[in-house]
Amino acid sequence: SLTVSSTKLIECSTNSFSPESVRLVDGAGLCSGRVEVKSNQSWASVCEADFDQQDAEVVCRDVGCGAPAALQGGLYGEGEGQTWDKEFQCKGKESLLLDCDTSDRENNTCLPGNAVGLTCSEPDDVRLVGGGSRCAGGVERYDQGEWRTVGAEDRDQENVAAVVCRQLGCGSTVSVPPGNTTGGIRVSCYGSESSLRECLTSYDLRPGLTVICSDLLVQPDIFLTDPMGGVFRGHQGPEMFRGYNFTITCSTQPQYPGGSLLLTFTGSNRTQTQPAVNHSAAFLFPAADDSHQGNYSCVYDNYVFSHNFSSESELLSLAITASPLPAFIIRHVVVLLILLTTITTSYLYYKPTRRQKRVNRVSSMDLYVNAMEMVSLSSRSEAGPGEERAAQGTE
């Protein structure tokens, strides 16, 4: 006998948007913009009335960003497409917007200016640990609520390292030494991605990846001091009086022991180098002149992880100007002014009035009486007998 079986066509319904179901557009970057969802191969804006804080938490998580920071209608424009015709009912714990329930909208209209705009915090989901710097160490990624070690196949290690250094703002890859940990989630990158979120991740474990990036050292600080008060703030930066001594200090944060600090003078071959004692070095200039005018910078050099690293400070622009008077004259003038002020104040404080002179002539201060007696005796000795009697009669 011949058995004939019939074939049945079974259709399965799915949610009306794909796993790449949500995006933020017209914002400042990946983590801000107008919320749009994909429906029937086209993108639709979401009305503010159909969206709440729990929905925002899921969207920020779905696009790989941090927690919601701002939620406001019309914040990033209206868009040119249609409006999403459902209301989201997320509980806030879902990983993807695809996992949220939806319901029909109560109101089929969305007024202009009500397309929801969302700003999420920037992701902080990659870090380097155990290397003494944010730009060196074992790679870890925040995944599914915990920090996990990142591993990679040998052929992928350089590409993954390049993405990690780029995402952390640590420059380029210097080396990828053997990792000291095991059990890392496997990540595979092309090397051109801006973050590990764009790379392929799987959970078959690989040895942990260690990365050292070029911007290993923190940027040193540079500042100007002077013991004589010869520096002042000009329109273009600090200005120093000619002839005054000054000191330029270079310092860096405690990070690695040793190293040196190099002071460079832009536009010339003049450099000075000192060891980084307590992570700083002071460069003394005994007398400022026109040759000291220009731009200075500090370069911090250190040999770490079998490589030479360096980091340069911002420029310090110094102008040299003529002092109104030589320094020693200024000091003497200041001393004389202080003495004159003291004498004048004392005189005005102790000087009696004319009436006090007549009333308290006998009981005046001893110094004043003695001075008058000396003047009187001197006058009598120089005057004749007649003049003396006349003076006594007058008294």
Side-chain angles (χ1 to χ4, degrees):
S1 61
L2 180 63
T3 302
V4 179
S5 61
S6 61
T7 301
K8 293 183 179 180
L9 179 63
I10 300 175
E11 294 182 358
C12 300
S13 62
T14 61
N15 202 310
S16 58
F17 42 92
S18 65
E20 295 77 30
S21 57
V22 63
R23 66 182 184 181
L24 301 177
V25 297
D26 294 340
L30 175 69
C31 295
S32 64
R34 184 177 61 257
V35 179
E36 290 187 351
V37 296
K38 197 171 187 179
S39 173
N40 298 324
Q41 304 305 314
S42 62
W43 291 96
S45 300
V46 178
C47 190
E48 184 181 18
D50 303 328
F51 202 83
D52 59 18
Q53 183 68 22
Q54 292 176 321
D55 301 330
E57 292 175 1
V58 177
V59 169
C60 288
R61 189 177 301 118
D62 197 344
V63 298
C65 298
L71 178 63
Q72 180 181 342
L75 186 62
Y76 296 104
E78 289 300 307
E80 299 178 355
Q82 59 183 341
T83 301
W84 175 247
D85 59 357
K86 300 288 184 179
E87 180 179 349
F88 290 107
Q89 295 180 341
C90 299
K91 296 179 177 62
K93 301 298 183 181
E94 297 88 345
S95 298
L96 303 172
L97 192 62
L98 176 67
D99 299 331
C100 295
D101 294 331
T102 60
S103 63
D104 293 333
R105 296 176 56 196
E106 296 181 0
N107 190 347
N108 290 326
T109 61
C110 186
L111 297 176
N114 285 343
V116 66
L118 176 62
T119 301
C120 310
S121 59
E122 290 296 324
D124 188 16
D125 59 351
V126 174
R127 66 184 183 183
L128 298 177
V129 297
S133 168
R134 60 176 297 271
C135 295
V139 183
E140 290 187 352
R141 179 181 178 184
Y142 194 74
D143 181 72
Q144 297 182 355
E146 62 179 340
W147 287 99
R148 299 172 182 262
T149 302
V150 171
E153 298 283 2
D154 291 343
R155 65 178 181 273
D156 292 329
Q157 288 185 357
E158 291 290 341
N159 291 338
V160 175
V163 175
V164 169
C165 291
R166 184 181 302 116
Q167 181 174 352
L168 293 175
C170 289
S172 58
T173 306
V174 172
S175 67
V176 186
N180 297 322
T181 59
T182 58
I185 58 175
R186 184 167 66 91
V187 177
S188 179
C189 304
Y190 290 106
S192 59
E193 296 88 345
S194 61
S195 69
L196 286 188
R197 296 187 306 274
E198 302 174 19
C199 298
L200 178 64
T201 301
S202 61
Y203 292 89
D204 52 329
L205 302 181
R206 291 292 183 273
L209 180 66
T210 299
V211 175
I212 298 174
C213 307
S214 59
D215 293 348
L216 179 76
L217 304 179
V218 297
Q219 185 181 40
D221 295 319
I222 181 171
F223 54 92
L224 174 70
T225 58
D226 73 298
M228 297 172 58
V231 65
F232 63 96
R233 178 63 58 179
H235 295 294
Q236 304 297 327
E239 296 186 15
M240 172 67 61
F241 285 137
R242 189 178 292 113
Y244 283 76
N245 60 41
F246 64 94
T247 300
I248 294 180
T249 302
C250 303
S251 65
T252 184
Q253 298 178 11
Q255 191 177 12
Y256 300 103
S260 62
L261 286 161
L262 170 71
L263 181 67
T264 65
F265 182 63
T266 305
S268 74
N269 295 324
R270 183 190 307 167
T271 60
Q272 299 183 45
T273 303
Q274 292 188 24
V277 179
N278 294 326
H279 310 287
S280 67
F283 300 89
L284 175 64
F285 296 84
D289 57 38
D290 291 341
S291 66
H292 295 119
Q293 181 167 291
N295 298 322
Y296 295 83
S297 66
C298 296
V299 179
Y300 175 43
D301 293 315
N302 208 341
Y303 185 77
V304 188
F305 299 121
S306 303
H307 290 82
N308 288 309
F309 293 89
S310 66
S311 179
E312 187 172 3
S313 71
E314 296 180 351
L315 289 178
L316 172 69
S317 298
L318 178 62
I320 306 299
T321 185
S323 175
L325 293 172
F328 75 94
I329 295 181
I330 294 178
R331 289 196 296 270
H332 283 80
V333 169
V334 170
V335 172
L336 290 175
L337 288 175
I338 293 174
L339 290 176
L340 180 60
T341 302
T342 303
I343 294 172
T344 303
T345 303
S346 301
Y347 173 77
L348 293 175
Y349 181 80
Y350 289 110
K351 179 182 179 181
T353 62
R354 293 180 180 273
R355 177 174 295 180
Q356 287 173 332
K357 287 182 181 179
R358 291 195 299 268
V359 175
N360 302 322
R361 187 188 301 270
V362 178
S363 59
S364 299
M365 293 184 300
D366 293 342
L367 182 60
Y368 178 75
V369 172
N370 292 337
M372 293 301 295
E373 288 179 353
M374 292 178 63
V375 171
S376 177
L377 290 174
S378 176
S379 300
R380 290 176 181 177
S381 64
E382 294 177 358
E387 292 176 349
E388 183 177 352
R389 287 192 300 272
Q392 291 176 351
T394 303
E395 293 177 358

